[in-house]
Amino acid sequence: MTSLDDLPLRTNLQGLTPYGAPQLHVPVALNVNENTHAIPDAVVRDILAGLADAIRSVNRYPDREFTALREALAQYLGHGLAAENIWAANGSNEVLQQVLQAFGGPGRSLLGFAPTYSMYSILASGTDTTWIPGARDADYELSPATAVREIARTSPDIVFLCSPNNPTGTPLSLETIAAVYDATDGIVVVDEAYAEFAPVGTPSALTLLPGRERLLVSRTMSKAFAFAGARVGYLAADPAVTDALRLVRLPYHLSALTQAAANAALAHSTEMLAMVDDIRAQRDRLVVELARLGYAPHQSWSNFVLFGGVADPQETFTALLAEGILIRDVGIPGHLRVTAGTEKETSLFLDALARLGRPDRSGQTETARAE
């Protein structure tokens, strides 16, 4: 049978493996940061009605400029944004890929701050953009001084900032974003995929857009909107940036059905986001309870928690999987990551972890318990 090694792949793709978390059918799936809450029935009905209307004209190509969707996204984001400031694609990964197609490529480089979202380096490889993993501060923070120092060291053409960071959940200050922008002449992308889970009142990087034509702020409907299966990502930027992305997008890249579903969901943004408070509560509960069980959870402004103090991540991952609970080994030594699910899912995870116990420093296993 032919393998990848037998094919004439581009040199920079040779030896790589495709991105993907395990896709397993388990009772409690908390591994890919999905919103595990169901979409409200009233919203489902309106989405279905929108899809039914759209399918009547599916023999025709969709609106290439997805005008109604851009208008709805601009209204949702606020901050004085208009449709010409908005771009959308099939998930935020495609948005970021298009950014690299337009501004990256051979001879150009992308700086990110590791550990961070693993797709950044994969997207860089796919667009033949050199990936540069920059350093972070203690506890996965990123200060203005550290970020600026890494830019001076590497002179990147593009900088990706994940805010809050994935897989660590670490918040990122507006001061750091502004310092990065001032330190480079290149494109700066702030990936706010989890922005809605930050504490209420936290300012978005959207506030920094005026006067910064090289600053792009990307978002997704996958997380807070519980719309992961619909694949809708978007960004806000200067209109010149959206013109640049038109140069690389495929014709009619957003289907009529995708546009209809997204428009219907955005019309119910209040109902769709009502579950965010509950997710925040479960995330904060995870931080407290993981610490009580003897682990070392990190501060998180997202819908997941990265926790350290795991003697053997693969062993713990496998033991939880045997109980029907799927979390994520993100490759950080001594750490695992768990999504904040419903109250029931969170309880099942915490109860299973407590039953498993955790090895003490002598290598023996002790029952994890709240002191």
Side-chain angles (χ1 to χ4, degrees):
M1 180 180 293
T2 302
S3 70
L4 281 177
D5 294 336
D6 301 315
L7 298 175
L9 279 174
R10 289 191 345 233
T11 302
N12 69 316
L13 295 180
Q14 293 173 7
L16 299 182
T17 56
Y19 171 86
Q23 291 193 120
L24 305 173
H25 296 290
V26 295
V28 182
L30 301 173
N31 65 321
V32 288
N33 304 337
E34 295 160 319
N35 185 333
T36 65
H37 294 62
I39 294 177
D41 289 342
V43 183
V44 170
R45 287 193 292 271
D46 278 4
I47 291 174
L48 289 172
L51 290 171
D53 186 59
I55 209 165
R56 291 189 178 94
S57 58
V58 80
N59 59 307
R60 301 289 188 178
Y61 284 117
D63 175 9
R64 184 178 61 243
E65 296 302 317
F66 44 97
T67 308
L69 177 57
R70 288 163 59 216
E71 291 172 347
L73 287 167
Q75 182 177 5
Y76 167 68
L77 290 177
H79 293 85
L81 295 168
E84 55 264 29
N85 297 110
I86 304 300
W87 187 255
N90 296 284
S92 59
N93 288 331
E94 185 176 66
V95 171
L96 297 176
Q97 181 184 57
Q98 290 172 341
V99 169
L100 292 179
Q101 288 174 320
F103 300 107
R108 296 195 174 187
S109 60
L110 166 64
L111 171 66
F113 296 88
T116 192
Y117 184 32
S118 59
M119 272 303 299
Y120 296 161
S121 61
I122 295 172
L123 291 171
S125 293
T127 57
D128 210 3
T129 305
T130 299
W131 165 248
I132 303 172
R136 286 182 173 269
D137 300 303
D139 295 324
Y140 307 116
E141 299 284 346
L142 183 60
S143 66
T146 295
V148 169
R149 183 176 65 246
E150 290 296 278
I151 289 171
R153 180 180 67 86
T154 61
S155 300
D157 297 285
I158 306 168
V159 181
F160 277 5
L161 299 168
C162 198
S163 175
N165 189 47
N166 177 20
T168 64
T170 315
L172 183 70
S173 71
L174 294 186
E175 290 76 14
T176 296
I177 297 170
V180 166
Y181 187 88
D182 291 341
T184 178
D185 293 327
I187 294 293
V188 177
V189 180
V190 183
D191 180 356
E192 290 194 335
Y194 300 93
E196 286 93 344
F197 300 104
V200 176
T202 300
S204 163
L206 294 168
T207 62
L208 298 176
L209 284 175
R212 294 180 173 92
E213 71 280 356
R214 294 177 288 103
L215 180 64
L216 290 58
V217 180
S218 72
R219 292 279 189 98
T220 182
M221 293 183 70
S222 293
K223 310 303 181 181
F225 269 83
F227 230 50
R231 310 308 302 129
V232 181
Y234 56 100
L235 64 70
D238 188 274
V241 171
T242 62
D243 283 342
L245 298 181
R246 286 183 175 87
L247 299 175
V248 298
R249 61 103 177 264
L250 294 175
Y252 310 105
H253 70 289
L254 274 178
S255 77
L257 302 184
T258 298
Q259 294 181 44
N263 283 325
L266 286 162
H268 289 274
S269 59
T270 300
E271 298 99 308
M272 295 290 277
L273 296 177
M275 61 194 82
V276 168
D277 283 343
D278 181 58
I279 294 169
R280 284 196 198 101
Q282 296 308 313
R283 174 200 66 202
D284 295 343
R285 178 188 172 203
L286 282 168
V287 171
V288 171
E289 294 302 321
L290 284 166
R292 286 168 60 86
L293 291 173
Y295 293 93
H298 293 273
Q299 176 187 200
S300 176
W301 282 15
S302 52
N303 71 335
F304 58 83
V305 175
L306 178 75
F307 60 100
V310 185
D312 188 331
Q314 187 58 45
E315 180 181 348
T316 301
F317 171 90
T318 302
L320 287 169
L321 184 59
E323 297 211 21
I325 299 169
L326 180 61
I327 63 171
R328 188 74 174 267
D329 183 349
V330 294
I332 300 176
H335 288 73
L336 290 168
R337 191 191 69 191
V338 59
T339 305
T342 63
E343 181 178 5
K344 179 180 179 181
E345 290 170 330
T346 303
S347 295
L348 288 169
F349 162 71
L350 289 169
D351 290 346
L353 195 62
R355 286 194 303 274
L356 290 178
R358 56 187 296 267
D360 61 20
R361 291 182 179 177
S362 68
Q364 297 176 332
T365 300
E366 58 180 354
T367 302
R369 63 185 184 278
E371 296 297 337

